[in-house]
Every structure is written in C-alpha cells, then in structure tokens.
C-alpha cells in the first residue's frame, strides 16, 4: 500500500493541484482536453478577432488535421503550446515559432498577442492543459528546492516505456535522485519502439541514459543560471533479447529494416515461438492499387473459408484506415474500425450536437448547414464532396429543411413525442 503508481502527467498534476493558489489560479483545478482547449480559444477569437486573418483556416475552422490542413483553432492551439514550451508570453517574437511558418507576419503577431487572454482565462477558471502541468510543476519545484524531498521521498523508482521520455521528464527523474531518501533507479524501454516524437519525447534519453542522468540538473523555469550536480552513478545495461510475440521470420525481416536506423542499440532478437511465420512484402504503383489488392486478398481468404472477423488490416494512420474502409465497403466486404477517433471529434456526433444547438436557436444557420451537410453525405457513402459544392438554391433548400425540422420539434408540446421526433 506504500507504492505510488502514476504517469508523469498525473504526478505533475498532483503537485500543481496541491499548489493551485500559489500558481495564481482563482479556482480549484480541472484538466482540459483538446476539444475543451479549442472551446476556450474559440471564445477568445470571438471576443478578440484577428481581422487580418481569413481564408482556408476559417473555412475549416474546427479541423485539427485533414490531409495536412489545419483550421484556425488548431493553428492557434499549436502556437500557444509552442509559446509555453519556450517559457514565452504574449510578447514572444513570432519568428521564433515554427507553428507560424505559413501565416503572414502581421497575422502571426496578432495571434501571439492573444496568448495573454488565453492564459488569463485558464487562471480565472482553474483550467489546466497538458503543457501547464509540466511548466507549473517545475515552477513549484524550482521555487522550493526541498519540495520533492518533503513530499515525494521515494527510495526506489521504476519507470517503464522510457524510450518515450521528454526532456522535462528526464529532468524530473534527476531531481528525484537528489532526495536524501533515494536508493535505486531502474528504467525499462525499447529504443526501437519510440513513437511519441510529436509530443516532444525522444529515444535520445534512453540511448544516452548514463550521460543524461549524470549531467547537471538545471533550473528550467525560474533561474536558468543555477544548477546542482549529483555524484556520478554507474549504469548497468540488461538486454532482453527474447521475443514472445512473433515468429522468427517476422523478427528477421524487422531487424533488417531496423539496420537502417542511424542511431540505436544493436540487438539480435530470438523468437521464443520458433520458426513458421509468413511474411510477404509487395510494392504498388499507388495507394489506390494497394487498397484494391488488400480487398482482393481478403475476398480470396474469405472464399477459402476464413471468417471476415478473423482478419485484420493494420495501418500507420487512421486516415489510411478510413480510406481502406471505404474501399472495402465498395467491394462488399464488411469491416469494423478498431481505432476510432475520440467520440467528440466524430463528424456524426458533431452533426448531432449541432442539431441540438439548433433547437436552442433556430436562426443559427451555421449549425443547420453542418447538419444538412451530414445528412447529404450520409445519403451516399461514395460522395467525396459536401453540400457547399451544390447549386446555391439546393444548399438553401437543404439548410431550410433542417431548420424546419427543428421548428417542428420545438412546436411539439408532448415531451414523449418531442423526444421521439428528435
């Protein structure tokens, strides 16, 4: 019962939650996700518009990523995250931010100036996003160098999935080693499985663990000139080279591919399950040809007596899986999406919520258009365009039809009937 089991983020949040008043928050803290973060940014852009900014960013206002395209909310969120990561504020020079590369300089400057309003809203309402957890936790630790010794006096520390560690997390590990209670540290990870680079993590911290562990701790947020060191520790490496999941042929092919890594720890992996794995590598001229070939393979397997629910297709991105699912549907093959997007980001759920909002205000034609578009797209799964490609009269007719439905529901007095109509 004395074990503390936690993620880095939860550990940092516990520190921040216990010190919310010291950090300037006006209320007890609530963690916000991306959708809630967008909501805060949306309110700020409504209250403090960037008049010079328009174009595709606003046509795709709520899109987080679509064929490399981002909407205004995602762009602003990325800029704010980058400002935080470099300990900046509303006076940060936009030229230092990679997130503004496709924006005119005057627009970038205006967006950066809105960061102050974002920060004020979070403080006033006790809202914390993921970047805040790290920065605020270090603010508390830096202001009180004995904080970890008093509140987190661990003797033994064990950390899993270390290949996906960030610079901040490495720094936290070094700080915990400063505690007078500290006796041992063990990390586990696989440099071949580092996949969270987009979140600021790096396999560098496991590849060169001993060097990073024995480098000086730096005050990252309060006083960049102060550091303290720890007596150098020897690190012992233990290699786990037996694989219990795959057969040897799969491991051999994977190892050949991994030989191309410019950095990494060389390992020879043996299969506990022995030989007998089947691996086929096939190249295609284009992605559509590949999808058709996959569909044909699945049909051939099915004709040989393999049930559809005993087959799976893995892909690198959800976008690929969506395209493939469409191809399978056209080929008459049933499929299920095993890695769906967050429910609040699903286009159908957004359309349902837009319709509920329309009941509140039937003059909101934006919500009506979202619903009309969803109904139009659902009428034919092969459609690749939305209602905005239709003639103007048909757009107005479809949007008007949605508003009429909302009015009909609002006029119904019987609650049961009203619910069924909805």
């Amino acid at each position: 019962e004395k074990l503390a089991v936690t993620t880095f983020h939860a550990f940092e949040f516990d520190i921040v939650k216990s010190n919310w008043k010291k950090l300037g928050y006006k209320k007890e803290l609530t963690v916000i996700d991306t959708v809630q973060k967008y909501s805060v940014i949306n309110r700020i852009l409504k209250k403090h518009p960037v008049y010079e900014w328009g174009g595709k960013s606003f046509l795709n206002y709520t899109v987080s990523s679509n064929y490399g395209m981002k909407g205004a909310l995602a762009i602003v969120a990325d800029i704010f995250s980058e400002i935080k990561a470099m300990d900046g504020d509303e006076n940060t020079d936009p030229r230092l931010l990679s997130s503004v590369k496709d924006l005119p300089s005057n627009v970038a400057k205006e967006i950066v100036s809105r960061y102050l309003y974002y920060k004020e809203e979070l403080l006033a309402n006790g809202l914390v996003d993921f970047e805040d957890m790290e920065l605020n936790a270090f603010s508390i630790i830096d202001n009180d160098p004995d904080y970890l010794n008093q509140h987190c006096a661990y003797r033994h520390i064990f950390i899993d999935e270390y290949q996906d560690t960030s610079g901040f997390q490495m720094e936290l590990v070094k700080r915990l080693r400063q505690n007078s209670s500290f006796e041992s540290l063990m990390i586990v990870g696989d440099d071949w499985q580092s996949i969270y680079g987009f979140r600021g993590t790096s396999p560098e911290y496991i590849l060169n663990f001993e060097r990073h562990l024995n480098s000086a701790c730096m005050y990252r947020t309060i006083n960049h000139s102060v550091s303290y060191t720890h007596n150098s520790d020897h690190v012992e490496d233990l290699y786990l080279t037996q694989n219990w999941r795959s057969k040897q042929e799969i491991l051999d092919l994977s190892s050949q591919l991994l030989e191309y890594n410019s950095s990494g720890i060389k390992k020879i992996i043996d299969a506990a399950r022995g030989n007998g794995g089947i691996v086929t590598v096939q190249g295609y001229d284009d992605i559509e040809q590949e999808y058709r070939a996959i569909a044909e393979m699945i049909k051939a397997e099915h004709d040989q007596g393999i049930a559809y629910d005993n087959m799976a297709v893995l892909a690198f991105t959800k976008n690929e899986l969506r395209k493939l699912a469409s191809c399978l549907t056209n080929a008459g093959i049933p499929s299920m999406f095993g890695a769906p997007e967050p429910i609040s980001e699903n286009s159908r759920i957004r359309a349902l919520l837009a319709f509920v909002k329309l009941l509140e205000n039937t003059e909101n034609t934006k919500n009506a258009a979202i619903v009309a578009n969803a109904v139009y797209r659902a009428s034919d799964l092969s459609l690749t365009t939305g209602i905005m490609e239709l003639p103007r009269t048909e757009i107005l007719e479809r949007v008007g039809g949605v508003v009429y439905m909302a009015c009909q529901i609002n006029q119904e007095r019987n609650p049961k009937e009203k619910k069924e109509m909805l």
Side-chain angles (χ1 to χ4, degrees), residues 270-291:
D270 296 313
R273 297 175 65 193
N275 296 318
I278 299 171
V279 185
T280 304
V281 179
Q282 177 67 54
Y284 297 95
D285 292 333
D286 58 59
I287 196 75
E288 301 303 329
Q289 187 187 33
E290 182 180 349
Y291 292 157

Side-chain angles (χ1 to χ4, degrees), residues 230-298:
H230 189 281
N231 291 333
S232 181
D233 278 344
H234 170 67
V235 175
E236 184 181 352
D237 291 328
L238 301 171
Y239 295 96
L240 305 178
T241 57
Q242 197 160 28
N243 179 292
W244 297 83
R245 180 179 295 167
S246 303
K247 297 206 173 176
Q248 193 63 48
E249 290 84 353
I250 294 168
L251 297 178
D252 289 344
L253 179 63
S254 301
S255 296
Q256 283 179 48
L257 286 172
L258 290 162
E259 285 293 321
Y260 289 96
N261 279 353
S262 57
S263 64
I265 299 166
K266 302 301 179 189
K267 301 178 281 288
I268 297 172
I269 307 297
D270 296 313
R273 297 175 65 193
N275 296 318
I278 299 171
V279 185
T280 304
V281 179
Q282 177 67 54
Y284 297 95
D285 292 333
D286 58 59
I287 196 75
E288 301 303 329
Q289 187 187 33
E290 182 180 349
Y291 292 157
R292 287 194 297 273
I294 290 171
E296 287 165 12
M297 280 186 240
I298 291 172

Side-chain angles (χ1 to χ4, degrees), residues 22-23 137-147 219 221-222:
K22 283 184 188 174
L23 291 163
F138 270 92
S139 175
I140 294 296
I141 295 165
D142 287 342
N143 274 316
D144 181 1
D146 203 39
Y147 183 88
Y219 282 98
T221 51
I222 303 300

